[in-house]
Amino acid sequence: MADRLKEIPAKILEWWNRFTTKQKSAIVGIVAAVIFTFVILIYIFTRTQYVLLDVYEDAKTASQVVSVLDENGIAHRESGNGLRVEVEAGQESAANIALGAAGFSGSALSYSDFVSSSMSTTSTDRENQYKIYMEAYATKTIESMNAVKKATVLLYIPRETGTLIREREEATAWIQLELQDTFTSANAANLARAVATWLGNSNTSNITIVDSDANALFYGGDDYGVAGVANSLQELQNQAGSMVDNQVKKVLMGTNQYDSIEVTSHLNMDYSSYEETLHDYSVDEGRTEGYLASQDLYESENTSGAGGTPGTDSNNETTYYSPDGSSTSSSSAESHRTYLPDEDIKKIITSAGVIDYSSSSITVAMIRFRVLHEEEAKDQGLLDGITWAEYKRQNASDTKLEVDSDFYSMVATATGMPQENITIVAYETPVYYDKEPLDVNWTTVLSVVMLIIILALLAFVVLRSMSSQKEVPEEEELSVESLLQSNPESPLEDIDVETKSETRKMIEKFVDENPEAAAALLRNWLNDDWG
């Protein structure tokens, strides 16, 4: 075995020596090209791709951004001056989230990037550029709000004409918001006032704000009026409903029994305002009247005439009164009393927007996903005698589940609603995943094709070289006698002493047809040769 291994280098060297120097150079060049091609392909397909994150105004801000990226493990690179920061492709969203959490925002808009001034710039061009700048500024500012995902701002700014009508005309703004969080009417009103300030308007009557579903969030004016009050009350009900829905959803999701839970509530709200006064009177036990607060008494008595004997004697006598007698009598009495009861007065004011949970209702829809992969179905024997597509088609419908009574109790406890006003439905939804195909893209196919072509060229060169190196059998040497015998004397032919070649014939023809050109050519040749 060892002897055979020792023979391998000698055989390889012998095989290599069969090629000529030119063929060896070609083989080495092709092998080097193959290796170089592989290196280029590996570098192209494996190198890290970077995308621009932002260009910062100063090195301090850039260094702070780099520190945030390092803390979050995000690959990045910087330009020579350190102001341009790039991150690895695919990590741009993670970088923006990390910078947002650290309090960094995108670079500020530059006024000079939108408004230019040159000899060819007219006043109309500058006004249009300023309008574009204001739209970009408003869009960027609005999108910095937490509840706004995307904003579209269209402005109409009156042209400066120097007339009185222009001075009275104010700008108009139309704003469309794509929301990702709660955005109330109060938020829309505050945004409208901010936009009016940017535009220099005296009020918000020319500002309209809608959401991506064309619902009006703000429709001009600082005062709500009747429609504004209605919108405010409806907003109040929506906020209360959202709060209840979130509470219920949070509780039900905490059970980890269902993958998707949707909650919608109908709250019975009383928008009327009430004012009620209660009087409660009481006195001490045993009394039939209240406490004496004031008393007015008046008494008067007058008596005149002869009187009888002091003592009881005069009472036994009969007394006669006559109209003309001298005995008179007069009596008068007046009294006024005011009693103060023990009084308890209560004044109750009930504001609008009270929720009556006893008459409110709520609906909950819960879904549990049944995930099944094609490989698992095959291992479980579910695909015996049936294809994967047929199995998915036959088992595509949802299955209704029975809801445990504990879920009703949880919702009732979380909302304060009676259980008879709670509706809960649950379904099991199948989710199928097909077998993942081979991850072959055009770059892989191109690499394989190039490799096959290069190897085919290399094999062609090697085989062609080997075929040209076949040994030619050596002929047996003949003796002089045999050579003379095999070549009999042939009669001598007339030898043309001066046999003309084709090149000579062409030169002579050129000289005959172009004597002047031939002479000039000969003269130039002599000058070059002797000069």
Side-chain angles (χ1 to χ4, degrees):
M1 184 66 181
D3 295 336
R4 292 183 178 180
L5 293 177
K6 293 179 179 179
E7 293 177 357
I8 292 177
K11 291 182 178 180
I12 295 176
L13 182 60
E14 181 182 356
W15 172 81
W16 178 253
N17 291 331
R18 293 179 182 177
F19 301 104
T20 63
T21 303
K22 185 177 181 180
Q23 292 172 342
K24 291 180 181 179
S25 301
I27 294 174
V28 172
I30 293 175
V31 173
V34 172
I35 297 175
F36 184 70
T37 303
F38 269 106
V39 171
I40 293 177
L41 291 176
I42 293 173
Y43 173 75
I44 292 175
F45 297 133
T46 59
R47 68 173 180 175
T48 304
Q49 300 290 335
Y50 288 90
V51 295
L52 176 63
L53 179 63
D54 210 336
V55 178
Y56 299 94
E57 297 180 354
D58 52 76
K60 180 180 179 181
T61 304
S63 64
Q64 294 173 351
V65 170
V66 170
S67 300
V68 174
L69 297 178
D70 291 335
E71 293 174 0
N72 290 270
I74 299 174
H76 59 87
R77 68 182 183 184
E78 295 76 40
S79 60
N81 57 9
L83 301 180
R84 180 186 177 93
V85 180
E86 297 178 349
V87 296
E88 184 178 349
Q91 292 188 325
E92 185 178 4
S93 59
N96 289 326
I97 293 174
L99 293 178
F104 287 94
S105 59
S107 57
L109 297 176
S110 176
Y111 182 80
S112 59
D113 293 338
F114 293 87
V115 180
S116 60
S117 180
S118 63
M119 296 295 294
S120 61
T121 304
T122 63
S123 59
T124 303
D125 294 336
R126 281 192 291 270
E127 290 179 359
N128 292 333
Q129 293 170 359
Y130 176 74
K131 170 181 171 294
I132 296 174
Y133 166 74
M134 289 297 297
E135 289 177 347
Y137 178 84
T139 300
K140 187 176 182 64
T141 305
I142 295 173
E143 289 180 347
S144 64
M145 299 180 179
N146 296 329
V148 179
K149 182 179 180 181
K150 184 180 179 182
T152 302
V153 180
L154 297 178
L155 301 179
Y156 167 72
I157 300 178
R159 298 188 181 278
E160 187 64 45
T161 59
T163 61
L164 182 60
I165 298 177
R166 166 60 184 89
E167 294 179 0
R168 296 177 179 177
E169 191 176 5
E170 294 187 340
T172 302
W174 181 86
I175 303 172
Q176 185 181 35
L177 305 179
E178 182 179 347
L179 303 175
Q180 60 184 0
D181 203 348
T182 303
F183 195 81
T184 64
S185 298
N187 300 136
N190 293 333
L191 176 58
R193 294 187 184 95
V195 175
T197 303
W198 297 338
L199 299 177
N201 290 3
S202 60
N203 53 58
T204 59
S205 58
N206 294 337
I207 299 174
T208 301
I209 303 176
V210 299
D211 61 10
S212 55
D213 296 327
N215 297 320
L217 302 177
F218 185 86
Y219 188 66
D222 291 327
D223 299 330
Y224 283 106
V226 177
V229 172
N231 291 335
S232 299
L233 296 177
Q234 183 64 38
E235 184 69 27
L236 177 62
Q237 184 175 10
N238 293 338
Q239 291 180 8
S242 298
M243 180 187 66
V244 174
D245 297 346
N246 292 333
Q247 290 177 346
V248 173
K249 186 175 182 179
K250 182 179 180 181
V251 171
L252 296 181
M253 288 295 291
T255 61
N256 294 326
Q257 298 299 313
Y258 293 90
D259 301 295
S260 176
I261 297 177
E262 298 296 333
V263 181
T264 300
S265 60
H266 174 70
L267 303 181
N268 186 10
M269 300 187 68
D270 187 1
Y271 296 111
S272 303
S273 299
Y274 298 96
E275 182 175 345
E276 183 179 5
T277 303
L278 299 178
H279 295 267
D280 186 14
Y281 300 97
S282 63
V283 295
D284 291 343
E285 185 178 357
R287 294 180 62 91
T288 59
E289 75 282 347
Y291 300 100
L292 184 62
S294 63
Q295 185 179 25
D296 297 330
L297 297 176
Y298 172 77
E299 294 182 0
S300 177
E301 183 178 355
N302 296 321
T303 302
S304 63
T309 302
T312 60
D313 293 344
S314 59
N315 295 332
N316 295 329
E317 296 180 356
T318 304
T319 304
Y320 296 96
Y321 297 92
S322 59
D324 54 356
S326 59
S327 177
T328 62
S329 177
S330 175
S331 179
S332 177
E334 183 178 354
S335 179
H336 175 75
R337 295 181 177 86
T338 300
Y339 292 93
L340 181 65
D342 187 3
E343 184 179 22
D344 185 9
I345 302 175
K346 296 179 180 179
K347 188 175 182 180
I348 301 175
I349 300 176
T350 304
S351 59
V354 177
I355 303 174
D356 185 6
Y357 289 99
S358 61
S359 59
S360 301
S361 59
I362 192 169
T363 302
V364 181
M366 303 185 297
I367 297 177
R368 178 185 299 162
F369 296 119
R370 181 169 58 88
V371 179
L372 182 62
H373 295 266
E374 184 177 358
E375 298 86 347
E376 297 176 355
K378 187 176 182 180
D379 296 338
Q380 297 174 9
L382 301 177
L383 302 182
D384 295 341
I386 189 174
T387 63
W388 174 243
E390 293 176 352
Y391 179 83
K392 291 192 296 181
R393 184 170 57 254
Q394 294 178 4
N395 299 273
S397 58
D398 299 341
T399 304
K400 189 173 183 180
L401 303 177
E402 184 178 354
V403 181
D404 193 283
S405 59
D406 291 340
F407 285 92
Y408 288 90
S409 301
M410 292 171 62
V411 176
T413 305
T415 60
M417 300 179 186
Q419 293 191 13
E420 56 269 16
N421 294 350
I422 300 173
T423 302
I424 303 178
V425 293
Y427 287 90
E428 184 181 62
T429 301
V431 179
Y432 300 113
Y433 289 97
D434 298 337
K435 185 178 180 180
E436 295 184 0
L438 294 177
D439 187 13
V440 179
N441 51 27
W442 68 271
T443 55
T444 305
V445 175
L446 181 61
S447 302
V448 173
V449 171
M450 293 181 63
L451 177 61
I452 293 174
I453 294 174
I454 293 173
L455 293 178
L457 292 175
L458 180 61
F460 174 77
V461 172
V462 172
L463 294 176
R464 184 70 178 271
S465 301
M466 292 179 64
S467 62
S468 62
Q469 291 293 325
K470 291 182 179 179
E471 296 181 358
V472 180
E474 297 180 358
E475 296 182 357
E476 185 179 357
E477 295 183 359
L478 298 177
S479 60
V480 177
E481 293 78 4
S482 301
L483 184 60
L484 292 175
Q485 292 177 1
S486 60
N487 294 290
E489 294 182 0
S490 55
L492 296 175
E493 298 178 356
D494 295 333
I495 299 175
D496 186 6
V497 179
E498 196 173 28
T499 303
K500 295 182 179 181
S501 64
E502 293 296 325
T503 305
R504 180 178 176 181
K505 292 179 180 179
M506 294 175 62
I507 294 174
E508 290 177 353
K509 182 179 180 181
F510 175 78
V511 172
D512 294 337
E513 295 177 355
N514 303 286
E516 296 180 359
L521 181 62
L522 180 61
R523 189 183 304 109
N524 292 335
W525 177 73
L526 291 174
N527 291 333
D528 293 338
D529 186 54
W530 296 97

